[in-house]
Every structure is written in structure tokens, then in C-alpha cells.
Amino acid sequence: MVDYLVVGLGLSGLAVCEELQKRNLSFKVFENHSQKSSLVAAGLYNPVILKRFTPAWRADEHLESAIPFYKKIEEKLQLKLIYPGNIYRKFHNVEEQNNWFEATDKPRLSNFLSETIEKDLSPAIPAPFGYGKVLHTGSIATDTMLKEYRKNLKDNGVLTQESFDYKVLKIEGSGILYKGFHARKIVFCEGFGLAKNPFFDYLPLRPNKGEYLTIFAEKLKLEVIVKASVFVIPLGNDLYRVGATYNNRDTTPQPSESSKTYLLKKLQDIITCDFKVVDQVAGIRPATKDRKPLLGVHPKYSQLFCCNGFGSRGVLMGPEMAKNLIDFSEENKPLASEIDIKRFEKELLKK
Ligand SMILES: Cc1cc2nc3c(=O)[nH]c(=O)nc-3n(C[C@H](O)[C@H](O)[C@H](O)COP(=O)(O)OP(=O)(O)OC[C@H]3O[C@@H](n4cnc5c(N)ncnc54)[C@H](O)[C@@H]3O)c2cc1C
């Protein structure tokens, strides 16, 4: 008998496992490598929406719990995972500069937007209007973190690397039974894989495919993250990640030619030096109709929970959302109505 089963080990599953361990609760994890969102993510933590210079939903609060959370994982895995680094938003005209300065005074933004205009970040990026610097940002090495975390769970005998088979899940009075495992509760963290989960497929999860190119550009000489029409993110050794795309119609897992063409066009508008594409990756972001996470308990089965809907901000949301969910399932602390899946109960009735 364990306390919990956890299905899926992306940013959501990892944060749920940490929350359970913090409370000395036992668990088993099932992971089938079907979704890649957390693995291909650039891992940026950035509380500002850089298109309009507005604050991302509760991101300043999430940042406060996220950094100590990832520090703890660094200590646990004895690995460097947090890479602090400012993001530089390239201005395309004077109007954007003005909008930026207006935003620097706004609550939830003033702490993050620098008031000086930066210039000349790379000899191969013309930027006559300069850049605005976003403070207290950086990235988490999600791919390394998840691969090492997986190894750690495997060494501790709690990871089963196979598809969770929903058909054989038995819901019993006081818990669940799955392939010989008895547990009190189960948390589903399958990202876009939730669409195949017969218990929660009524939730309005919206796929949003994202793709990145990796390029080699010897003359770019850029040392900071630049956001122009797309991000250009230095990886070291003259390699850069370029992207991402947003596509809510394509749910195929593979990288596509159309995204490559799109990103190349964007890149050619940003940089003036030669480059070579060396890689392309894709993942499906688990987005939602109202851009808020999907957290809570199944309306009929009190043993079944869901932790999903992180969209394009899993790095910042994961730790706080997992805490909210386990506070709810263990201590009955209510979930905020804007994240509670109760808001979609009508959808279940329509099924
Ligand atoms: C190109 C791209 C760039 C991004 N960049 C950023 C960024 O810079 N910053 C940021 O915060 N966010 C970013 N995101 C978004 C971020 O990746 C997501 O918010 C986050 O990864 C969602 O995590 P998740 O654990 O819910 O889902 P996933 O990462 O999809 O994880 C779900 C896991 O469940 C497993 N699974 C599914 N079904 C089953 C099953 N039946 N049995 C067993 N296992 C199963 C999958 O294999 C997977 O490992 C990006 C996303 C993409 C695609």
C-alpha cells in the first residue's frame, strides 16, 4: 500500500512528487515518455508577458516559491539547474519604448522592468531602438533536471516506465487498486496526454504545439537572452535556441517543416550573420481555454486528482500548483475557484 500513484513525470509530476516527499507520503510513478513539453522547454522563468508588457498571472508570487523549490532539487541531485540571466526585449520602434517606460511604473511590473535602455548586445543584431532589460529572470535546465530526477526515482524503486492503462484502474471504497498496487489516491499529471484519460477528458485542455530550432552561429557573439519576434537563447559554444512557435491545430509530436520555415524567416529578420540549423524539437503545451491551470478532484471519485493546464509557464507554476493540490487533498484547504476544475463540471454532464 502506498499513499499515492502519480501518472506522468514532467514539470507537474516532479512537483507533485516533491510535495509528497515533503510530507513523508509514499508514492509510485508511472511515466511513458509520450509527451515532451517539459523536456524541450527552454525552461525560462519570466513573470512578464513580453508582447504587451503586462504581468503574467500571479507569476511574481510563483517566482518566490519556484526558485527555492529548484534550489532544493539542485541540492538533492547535486546538479546545477538554475541559470539566472536577464532577458532583453528588443524594441522595434519608439512606441514600444514608450509603452515599456509606462509599464515600469505599474504594480507587479516595476520590480522586473529596468528603466535604462540597453544597446549593442551582439554585432549581428541591429537594434536602433535598443532593448528593455527584464530583471530577476533566467532559466531552469528542465531536460537535465527531469532525466536525473527520473534516475533518482528509478534507483529508489518508485518509477515504472510504462503507459498507465486507465482500463485496469479499480476504484475501491477507500482507495484505488492498479496492477497490484493499492493506493489511497492517484494524481494525473500527463500534460496533453490527459486528453486520453477517460476520467478527465471532459476538461477543456487545449494543445499548443511549440517548436525550437538550435542553430550554430559563430559570429553572433550574443551572451544574453534576447526576445525580438522570437527568443534567441545562448547555449554556449556558439549554439543558440531559437523560438518558440505556437500552434493550436497541429497535435503531431514531430518537428514540422512549416515551423522550421517560420522560425528561419523570423531569425533572418533578427540576425545578420551566417548560421546553420543543427537541431529542431517539438512538444505539446497543455494549455487551457481560460489560461488557468486545471487542479482538483474528480467530481464523482474522491480518490482521483488532476494537476495540469500549465500552458507556456510550467516552470513558474509547477511548484505552487502542486503545493495547492496536495494541501487540498491532504488538508482540505480549498483551491481558488479560478484554478479548481469544479469550474468545468458542466462539461462533464455534457459528455
Ligand atoms: C517549445 C516549448 C517551449 C517551452 N518553453 C517554456 C519555458 O521557457 N518556460 C516555461 O515555464 N514553460 C515552457 N514551456 C511550457 C512547459 O513545457 C509546460 O508548461 C510544462 O512542460 C507542462 O508540464 P506537464 O508536466 O504538465 O506536462 P508534460 O511535460 O507534457 O509531462 C507529462 C508527462 O506525462 C507523461 N504521460 C502522459 N500520458 C501518460 C500515460 N498514460 N502513462 C504514463 N505517462 C504518461 C508524459 O510522457 C510526460 O512525461 C514550453 C513548452 C514548449 C513545447
Side-chain angles (χ1 to χ4, degrees):
M1 172 90 176
V2 289
D3 291 301
Y4 280 77
L5 299 188
V6 178
V7 181
L9 192 63
L11 289 170
S12 170
L14 180 147
V16 167
C17 290
E18 281 297 293
E19 201 54 43
L20 296 173
Q21 279 177 41
K22 206 168 85 188
R23 293 158 198 258
N24 286 323
L25 295 169
S26 56
F27 60 89
K28 292 265 178 206
V29 180
F30 294 84
E31 165 57 46
N32 71 356
H33 312 290
S34 59
Q35 295 294 328
K36 303 271 178 278
S37 187
S38 299
L39 294 173
V40 303
L44 300 179
Y45 53 91
N46 163 31
V48 184
I49 297 174
L50 291 171
K51 204 168 180 181
R52 297 179 295 273
F53 313 143
T54 49
W57 174 74
R58 289 181 52 197
D60 49 348
E61 296 162 36
H62 295 161
L63 184 63
E64 278 187 25
S65 48
I67 298 302
F69 174 91
Y70 294 113
K71 275 208 175 113
K72 237 181 84 193
I73 310 233
E74 274 189 332
E75 281 160 25
K76 180 187 221 165
L77 301 177
Q78 292 287 298
L79 273 177
K80 180 165 169 59
L81 299 171
I82 309 174
Y83 293 85
N86 303 310
I87 295 173
Y88 290 76
R89 166 62 154 85
K90 184 180 152 184
F91 298 130
H92 297 97
N93 47 47
V94 173
E95 198 190 341
E96 279 194 346
Q97 284 181 342
N98 291 339
N99 292 344
W100 176 275
F101 284 115
E102 252 173 54
T104 57
D105 277 342
K106 291 190 184 149
R108 292 196 163 219
L109 283 177
S110 55
N111 196 20
F112 296 106
L113 303 186
S114 152
E115 286 178 7
T116 42
I117 290 192
E118 312 283 333
K119 297 249 176 199
D120 302 330
L121 299 179
S122 154
I125 306 184
F129 298 98
Y131 303 83
K133 178 158 73 167
V134 192
L135 309 167
H136 313 301
T137 55
S139 62
I140 304 295
T142 56
D143 178 81
T144 308
M145 174 173 74
L146 284 160
K147 285 179 178 157
E148 289 301 315
Y149 200 86
R150 197 178 284 164
K151 237 191 250 165
N152 183 277
L153 291 187
K154 201 172 163 213
D155 292 347
N156 288 306
V158 294
L159 176 65
T160 304
Q161 303 202 61
E162 64 178 42
S163 267
F164 186 85
D165 184 354
Y166 306 98
K167 292 194 296 293
V168 297
L169 176 66
K170 288 205 172 75
I171 300 167
E172 302 175 324
S174 58
I176 54 158
L177 174 64
Y178 179 75
K179 292 189 177 174
F181 294 112
H182 284 276
R184 285 197 289 125
K185 297 177 180 184
I186 182 165
V187 187
F188 291 105
C189 308
E190 310 106 315
F192 182 59
L194 188 84
K196 291 192 182 146
N197 179 330
F199 300 102
F200 288 105
D201 61 355
Y202 68 93
L203 293 171
L205 199 65
R206 301 275 191 262
N208 195 322
K209 184 169 173 177
E211 300 189 42
Y212 276 122
L213 297 179
T214 304
I215 60 158
F216 175 77
E218 214 169 2
K219 295 196 175 143
L220 187 51
K221 300 293 170 226
L222 175 70
E223 286 177 2
V224 294
I225 301 169
V226 162
K227 168 72 169 74
S229 53
V230 289
F231 278 96
V232 182
I233 305 168
L235 299 173
N237 300 323
D238 298 321
L239 294 169
Y240 299 87
R241 198 176 258 157
V242 178
T245 56
Y246 293 83
N247 185 332
N248 53 21
R249 287 178 302 277
D250 180 4
T251 54
T252 57
Q254 309 81 5
S256 66
E257 264 316 298
S258 59
S259 289
K260 185 174 176 182
T261 309
Y262 170 88
L263 290 173
L264 287 177
K265 164 95 188 53
K266 295 279 175 201
L267 187 62
Q268 274 148 1
D269 291 342
I270 301 170
I271 73 173
T272 53
C273 63
D274 289 341
F275 63 89
K276 202 166 70 187
V277 176
V278 295
D279 196 16
Q280 185 178 357
V281 292
I284 314 276
R285 301 177 187 87
T288 58
K289 194 162 94 171
D290 58 7
R291 294 166 183 260
K292 300 286 187 319
L294 297 168
L295 257 67
V297 67
H298 191 275
K300 283 192 196 147
Y301 307 114
S302 60
Q303 306 91 326
L304 272 50
F305 294 81
C306 163
C307 191
N308 210 315
F310 296 170
S312 57
R313 301 210 171 242
V315 168
L316 278 181
M317 277 185 195
E320 190 64 19
M321 292 303 105
K323 180 176 182 312
N324 281 199
L325 184 75
I326 305 301
D327 277 350
F328 168 68
S329 77
E330 289 297 308
E331 294 166 35
N332 251 328
K333 283 194 189 162
L335 289 166
S337 55
E338 61 183 345
I339 58 175
D340 194 330
I341 55 173
K342 260 195 190 149
R343 68 195 191 277
F344 296 117
E345 268 176 27
K346 274 194 204 130
E347 266 78 355
L348 179 62
L349 295 174
K350 281 187 221 154
K351 219 182 108 179

